[in-house]
Amino acid sequence: MRDSNILLTRYEVLILIAGWFLMTPVSADHLVMKNGDRITGEIKEIWDNDVIIEPEYDDDTKISISLDAVAYIESEQEFEVTMTDGRSVIAKLAGRDADGKQLIEIDGKRTSITLDQLEELDEISDYYDWDSRIDFNFTMNKGNTDSLNTKFYADTNLKLGDHRHIVDLTMIREEQNGARTRDNELLRYNYNWLFGDLWFLGGAGSAERDPIRELDYRFIAGATIGRDLWDKPRRAMSFQIGLGYLAEQFSPTAEDGTLLTKNSNQSVAAIWIYRFRHDFIGDDLEIYHNNAVNWYVTGRTNTVVKTVSGVRYGITDLLYINVAINFDWESDPSGTAENEDLAIVIGLGLEF
């Protein structure tokens, strides 16, 4: 009987401990206003003199409040913080000091600041993160001129710790009066290994075909070094330079359409890659500009430039309108192909 009572007591203790953990409130952030109001939730970011907080009563709502109206912020979590003097630190917002100023804790040491010294604050990046987009543009004309233009674009950005994988696919089809005037496919892969706060080593590769421009194939693979100028949730800018191997084949035609002898070329090529995006009006409006250039160092003399600039405007959390300008330029294209190719596209996209 005694052993039974002891056993029962042990179970009761375990139940009480489990209940205590379940009943203990989860640590939350507190935003205290100058008028005395207090908002409890999760601080998401500080950007453009606004603080964004997700209140604990609604996980689907984010409230934007001007920093000018905030007295101080209390949080147990660490953030990536950019100060107005240019410093970037990992810090906690530790409430206020005796004079009512904001306390910021860096490496266990607390310092008093004013909130307007916080240029940007973001949650620390997760080890694993990814995002994808799909754009589709479609134009059809019927009447005196029958034309059909379509463009499909998809990209995926995958982050695993210090490793980033960026893949994008572009497919363009154009027809006029039943004749195909453009038939282009481009697949690109970009790998980055971040070995410092801003610098990364990587590799870049692409595969392209465009039979209308007499290009049977063009393959490029190379090693690069790059730098992040910005790498924030609302803005990013980076560039890469490197060298790679290039192989291509053309099927040139004469003016009468006769197929001439196929030409092939292998070259060492210099690689330049530039990527930029910036969000405005919350997360609703985004401008972006991506640019890739390949200079032929050996083999035939040629330079290939591919540029995409555009604007995305969010309609919902998933759906957006996309307006883009695609500009391709080649200094020495094959056969009768033009040096430049310009297209303005308007369509819809999905982001997930």
Side-chain angles (χ1 to χ4, degrees), residues 280-298:
F280 298 92
I281 315 176
D283 292 327
D284 291 337
L285 182 66
E286 176 187 284
I287 63 172
Y288 61 93
H289 175 77
N290 298 325
N291 173 242
V293 182
N294 297 120
W295 293 277
Y296 291 45
V297 179
T298 63

Side-chain angles (χ1 to χ4, degrees), residues 134-137 151 153 286 288 308-313 315 320-326 345-349:
I134 296 175
D135 295 349
F136 184 72
N137 307 279
K151 178 189 174 185
Y153 172 82
E286 176 187 284
Y288 61 93
V308 180
S309 303
V311 178
R312 298 185 179 103
Y313 182 77
I315 303 173
Y320 59 84
I321 296 173
N322 179 60
V323 180
I325 298 174
N326 291 24
V345 295
I346 301 174
L348 296 176

